Each structure stands twice: as structure tokens, then as C-alpha cells.
Amino acid sequence: MQAVRFVGVGRPAQIEDVPEPTPSPGQVLIRIGGAGVCHSDLHVMEEDMGFTPPFTLGHENAGWVSAVGEGVVGFKEGDAVAVYGPWGCGYCHACQLSMENYCENWAQLNGFGGGLGLDGGMAHYMLVPSARLLVPLGDLSPAKAAPLSDAALTPYHAIKRALPHLNADSTVVVIGVGGLGHMAIQLLRVLAPVRIVAADVDDKKLQQAKALGADDIVNNRNTAEAAERIQKIAGPRGAGLVLDCIGVDPTVDLGAKLLGRNSVWTIVGLGGGRHEFRHGSTPYGTVMSIPYWGSRVELMEVIAMARNGRIHAETTEFPLTDAVDVYARLKAGQITGRAVLIPA
Ligand SMILES: [Zn+2]
Ligand SMILES: [Zn+2]
């Protein structure tokens, strides 16, 4: 079968022929219906994140159960499922709480999950090590559901952690209206009675943000001007939550200018931007957070919201064999919403 492979840091992804896997006891083979193309993959290919090549990329996956290994119960051939992405040990305290994203034994694991150190879903088939990592989709299409497993789950987890700090008079600033940001806006609309300000450097993405429920949109190509505009919108109270889906120096600088007292500053983007966190540099009471992905139960909640029509991923579908070009377009900022690869 064809697969999109990570072949080394500093090298683009490659389409290669790899053997079709067969499930061992406890494992489940998924026929991929869609694999989301995430900006994190660019970080995997361009920086050394400690992953050993080669492996198949794709950590936002959904499809149909194709075969189950011995002893697997609860799933049968043909079931539509999303694959929960962060694969933990399965038995530590965090994993027992379904928060495999915070597995305590992460240092002993071979990789973070399929597509992140281990073979992922940018292929015709994907091997999932345990049925506990599958969430049923019901009548939701795998191609539409695939991005939910990261692009929706990650902001959902981040927003849920911030909810106790928010109220009806809060302003929430979402920086970056890409795969995660366009879901974050919808999730905030559903979860909290807040004023949502979306910031991006691309006016087309800002229009999408508006259509998805943002109250205000601000182009942040010029950080100082954007800060002034958003400060005016938020008023003296400042932002109650800044959700930075980019995390580069300019967006971190922007966020620092927007926070109110007793606010939450959540950086989910892997941009590596820096801020000096100390008395005097940051408003009193600010909680700073770098959450990672989300729990399996939260993925069930995200899937439920999508099935009920409360949220949806805005997707553009491409054939699997276009992967290299799609990554280039993602890097150039030419993808709106989420690109999803479909095996032919
Ligand atoms: Zn991702
Ligand atoms: Zn664990």
C-alpha cells in the first residue's frame, strides 16, 4: 500500500510503498477514510522532535474497522471510528483517567502515537495497538471526522481548562484561524457566552472566523496595531483567555499585551515563541498553560458535538498521493480550515 512517510529531519515527506499490516492479538486494523494534514507535521519534518525515521505520518485519523486481532471485543469489521491520537501506556494514573495525552510513562514509549514516531494514518490502512484508542463515529463520515481528533480535541481540552475563569463579560482572543483556530471559535460559541475576537494575518481566514461565530476579527500582521484594536474591544478588563494557536514570537508578544488580570494564557501552537514570565511582565493572577492534545473521553464529547451538528470541520479533500504538495500549500498558508487526505 502507499503511505506518506517521514524520512528524516529537513527532508520533505515521501510517498512510499509499504507492506499492509495485519493485526496481532489486541490490535485493530483500520481502513483509513481520511487523514488530517496538521501543521505539527511540518514541525516534525523541520525540527528534531526526537522521532526516529522512517514512519508513516498522519495523527488525525478516522476510517472503518477492517480486521480485529484476537481478543478484541466491542468493535467489528465495518464500524466507523475515529482514532484517538496520543497513545499512552494504558495503565498509569493519567491513562486510567483517559488522559493518555499526559501518560506518566511517556518517556518509555516508542513514540507519541500513530504519525508521531509510530506509523500513522496517511496510508490505506493503519494498525491501532488497542481498541481502547477507538471512538465510534455512528453516521459521521470518517473524512469529516478525522480532523476532529486533533484540530477539535486540542482546543476543546484547552478551552475546558479555561472555562472556570470565564464568564459572560469575558473576551476570548483566538490567535490563528487555521485547523485548530477555526474549531476553537465554534467550540467557544457552543461552550461559553463570551465575546470572541479572532486574529490572523490572512483576511480570508478572518472571514471564515466571522462566518463560524467570531464577534470581531482583527488582522495581526502588525502586532502593535492589532494589540491596540483588541485592547479597545476588550476594554479595561482585558482578555479573560488568550488562546494562541500559533505560538511564535509575534503572537506571544501580542498575547502578552492583551491579557487581563486573573486571566488564562494558553499556547497550543508549537511556534516556540518566548515570554519572560515574572512579576511585572505579566498581569497578576495570569495562569499560563501549554496543554497537549486532549483525553479520550474529551474526544468522545467532541464527536458527540459533531454528530449533533454543533461543530464541524471545514475540510478540503485531496488524494493521498498529493500529500507532498498539500504540506507545501499548508506551509505557504494556502489551506483554509483543514486539508484531509483520502486514500484512492
Ligand atoms: Zn496535530
Ligand atoms: Zn500511561
Side-chain angles (χ1 to χ4, degrees):
M1 65 174 184
Q2 286 186 309
V4 182
R5 307 279 282 174
F6 167 62
V7 291
V9 175
R11 297 176 62 190
Q14 268 177 32
I15 312 279
E16 288 178 353
D17 245 321
V18 298
E20 209 176 284
T22 44
S24 298
Q27 299 179 332
V28 182
L29 185 68
I30 305 299
R31 180 163 67 85
I32 292 295
V37 183
C38 178
H39 209 274
S40 310
D41 293 338
L42 297 175
H43 291 283
V44 170
M45 287 185 266
E46 290 168 8
E47 299 151 28
D48 189 2
M49 293 177 73
F51 297 130
T52 311
F55 58 83
T56 301
L57 290 159
H59 57 268
E60 289 186 352
N61 308 303
W64 300 271
V65 172
S66 169
V68 295
E70 207 186 305
V72 170
V73 290
F75 291 93
K76 59 177 193 316
E77 198 187 326
D79 287 351
V81 290
V83 180
Y84 175 66
W87 297 349
C89 71
Y91 55 79
C92 73
H93 187 270
C95 284
Q96 288 296 311
L97 288 170
S98 102
M99 297 193 291
E100 302 205 17
N101 50 321
Y102 298 132
C103 174
E104 293 152 22
N105 295 315
W106 64 274
Q108 277 84 54
L109 303 172
N110 289 324
F112 291 4
L116 296 168
L118 300 161
D119 284 340
M122 290 185 179
H124 292 262
Y125 293 91
M126 174 187 188
L127 204 53
V128 176
S130 167
R132 76 168 194 279
L133 302 167
L134 302 175
V135 175
L137 290 180
D139 51 7
L140 210 57
S141 115
K144 294 298 278 182
L148 300 174
S149 65
D150 174 20
L153 176 56
T154 300
Y156 181 62
H157 173 63
I159 291 164
K160 266 185 90 173
R161 288 158 63 104
L163 280 181
H165 296 259
L166 301 176
N167 54 56
D169 194 33
S170 298
T171 299
V172 174
V173 184
V174 176
I175 303 176
V177 187
L180 273 69
H182 94 288
M183 296 303 315
I185 291 162
Q186 299 176 61
L187 290 162
L188 283 161
R189 200 72 297 159
V190 173
L191 294 170
V194 295
R195 170 173 282 272
I196 304 168
V197 184
D200 200 287
V201 295
D202 181 339
D203 288 326
K204 202 171 136 207
K205 291 178 183 169
L206 288 173
Q207 285 312 318
Q208 186 190 42
K210 189 92 192 169
L212 291 174
D215 297 293
D216 297 280
I217 50 175
V218 174
N219 191 306
N220 66 312
R221 210 170 293 127
N222 181 317
T223 302
E225 281 175 21
E228 213 171 292
R229 281 197 56 199
I230 299 171
Q231 282 162 355
K232 215 166 271 172
I233 293 165
R237 212 180 157 195
L241 166 64
V242 173
L243 181 60
D244 188 342
C245 300
I246 312 289
V248 295
D249 278 322
T251 62
V252 169
D253 289 346
L254 175 61
K257 293 186 168 80
L258 305 177
L259 295 162
R261 283 186 163 190
N262 203 21
S263 61
V264 182
W265 193 4
T266 304
I267 298 173
V268 290
L270 301 179
R274 285 160 192 253
H275 171 74
E276 195 181 77
F277 190 67
R278 59 171 167 79
H279 281 271
S281 79
T282 317
Y284 284 123
T286 301
V287 176
M288 203 175 182
S289 173
I290 46 164
Y292 173 64
W293 225 323
S295 75
R296 200 172 68 248
V297 167
E298 286 169 338
L299 178 58
M300 295 170 73
E301 294 166 6
V302 162
I303 299 288
M305 282 186 281
R307 288 181 68 178
N308 293 335
R310 293 192 171 97
I311 59 166
H312 68 279
E314 300 251 327
T315 57
T316 314
E317 297 182 5
F318 296 90
L320 182 73
T321 45
D322 281 6
V324 178
D325 178 52
V326 174
Y327 278 124
R329 291 173 65 170
L330 180 68
K331 190 174 176 177
Q334 293 165 354
I335 303 285
T336 306
R338 197 53 130 193
V340 177
L341 299 178
I342 312 287

